[in-house]
Amino acid sequence: MSLDLRPAHGWILTRRQRSWTCSQIGNSVKTLKLFWERHPDAERPLRAWYAEAKKAQWQSPRDIKAEYRTASVLRNSRVVFNIKGNTYRLVVAVKYEFQIVYIRFIGTHAEYDKIDAEEI
């Protein structure tokens, strides 16, 4: 059986003037939903991450690390979150100045090992 290694892409949310607006939020929810439909055990942790990210006011990588000690901050504004005890990896690109988080990849740990998280 072959694996579909195409990365999951989508925008997640933006925060402007101290209130969140949902810019292309349907795409990101759809991205996460498509993933957890294939991996049902990921649904609860991804919903929890999404709810926390939606409320977050991250101004720098330090803010993310304060909330997610196991997150890896990479070059090119990338952050890797361990989902469900590192069973899955979620790679996002963060534009701190605009308070935008882009989903760049979500996959199993084995799939993650086959990508360049700093470039995806």
Side-chain angles (χ1 to χ4, degrees), residues 10-14 20-32 50 54 103:
W11 291 18
I12 186 162
L13 47 91
T14 64
W20 288 100
T21 59
C22 299
S23 173
Q24 299 285 333
I25 201 164
N27 289 341
S28 63
V29 172
K30 183 178 179 181
T31 298
L32 296 175
Y50 180 82
K54 190 174 177 183
I103 295 174

Side-chain angles (χ1 to χ4, degrees), residues 56-73:
Q57 296 183 24
W58 299 323
Q59 299 297 314
S60 71
R62 184 178 15 207
D63 295 337
I64 292 174
K65 288 294 284 183
E67 288 183 49
Y68 296 94
R69 291 184 303 169
T70 62
S72 299
V73 177

Side-chain angles (χ1 to χ4, degrees), residues 82-115:
N82 299 318
I83 303 295
K84 195 181 174 275
N86 205 19
T87 301
Y88 305 107
R89 294 277 180 99
L90 173 65
V91 179
V92 301
V94 183
K95 299 297 183 192
Y96 299 99
E97 64 274 16
F98 300 113
Q99 292 289 290
I100 299 174
V101 176
Y102 300 95
I103 295 174
R104 302 302 298 158
F105 171 87
I106 184 161
T108 65
H109 200 196
E111 292 167 331
Y112 171 83
D113 287 342
K114 296 177 182 178
I115 66 161

Side-chain angles (χ1 to χ4, degrees), residues 26-81:
N27 289 341
S28 63
V29 172
K30 183 178 179 181
T31 298
L32 296 175
K33 185 176 180 185
L34 288 172
F35 185 79
W36 74 55
E37 285 175 349
R38 292 184 315 174
H39 304 277
D41 59 328
E43 181 175 0
R44 181 172 284 186
L46 285 171
R47 283 184 182 272
W49 176 88
Y50 180 82
E52 292 168 11
K54 190 174 177 183
K55 294 177 195 172
Q57 296 183 24
W58 299 323
Q59 299 297 314
S60 71
R62 184 178 15 207
D63 295 337
I64 292 174
K65 288 294 284 183
E67 288 183 49
Y68 296 94
R69 291 184 303 169
T70 62
S72 299
V73 177
L74 308 177
R75 285 186 315 105
N76 208 13
S77 300
R78 299 298 194 264
V79 180
V80 181
F81 293 93

